[in-house]
Amino acid sequence: MIGRLNHVAIAVRDLAAASALYRDTMGAAVSAPLAQPAHGVTVVFIELPNTKIELLEPLGEGSPIARFLERNPDGGMHHICYEVEDILAARDRLKAGGARVLGDGEPKIGAHGKPVLFLHPKDFNGTLIELEQV
Ligand code: CO
């Protein structure tokens, strides 16, 4: 059911420093920062040959990654995103298998303009999972 790895998201305190690390030290193609107020984050996309890395910095009050950074002051891997062809069918299959969908269980439009859902990390080996319909 799940398809390709779409991205790995890393929460960071200092987006400029993290961008410089990936661009200058690791030699990656790094996008300009993109503020996404609706999601409470500013995002930088790093394009790799086979997937993407997203660097997430908190934006505004009540950012969904603020508490994560309190627990992980050096930053850390926040979630991984798998592609699915039919997000509602994927959700229903996962729920039937006992997985918990975060929020109200309805897909939201994510950072790439496509429907996404998040799955509870306790049901997936301690890893927050994002599903994106492609
Ligand atoms: Co994501």
Side-chain angles (χ1 to χ4, degrees), residues 53-107:
I53 305 295
E54 292 182 6
L55 304 177
L56 307 175
E57 182 186 65
L59 174 63
E61 293 297 309
S63 168
I65 63 170
R67 249 192 307 166
F68 179 89
L69 283 169
E70 281 172 22
R71 294 195 305 270
N72 302 276
D74 296 328
M77 200 199 80
H78 184 260
H79 65 268
I80 61 178
C81 177
Y82 298 122
E83 297 179 356
V84 295
E85 287 184 3
D86 182 337
I87 200 164
L88 294 177
R91 175 197 64 187
D92 293 345
R93 175 171 169 170
L94 287 157
K95 282 172 74 173
R100 287 167 284 181
V101 178
L102 298 188
D104 64 5
E106 295 304 317

Side-chain angles (χ1 to χ4, degrees), residues 20-77:
L21 174 69
Y22 272 85
R23 184 182 57 239
D24 302 332
T25 307
M26 298 176 75
V30 175
S31 79
L34 181 65
Q36 300 193 319
H39 295 281
V41 292
T42 303
V43 184
V44 159
F45 300 99
I46 299 166
E47 294 285 345
L48 303 179
N50 62 339
T51 191
K52 294 187 286 282
I53 305 295
E54 292 182 6
L55 304 177
L56 307 175
E57 182 186 65
L59 174 63
E61 293 297 309
S63 168
I65 63 170
R67 249 192 307 166
F68 179 89
L69 283 169
E70 281 172 22
R71 294 195 305 270
N72 302 276
D74 296 328
M77 200 199 80

Side-chain angles (χ1 to χ4, degrees), residues 5-22:
L5 175 66
N6 185 274
H7 62 270
V8 175
I10 299 173
V12 303
R13 283 192 181 283
D14 184 339
L15 195 56
S19 297
L21 174 69
Y22 272 85

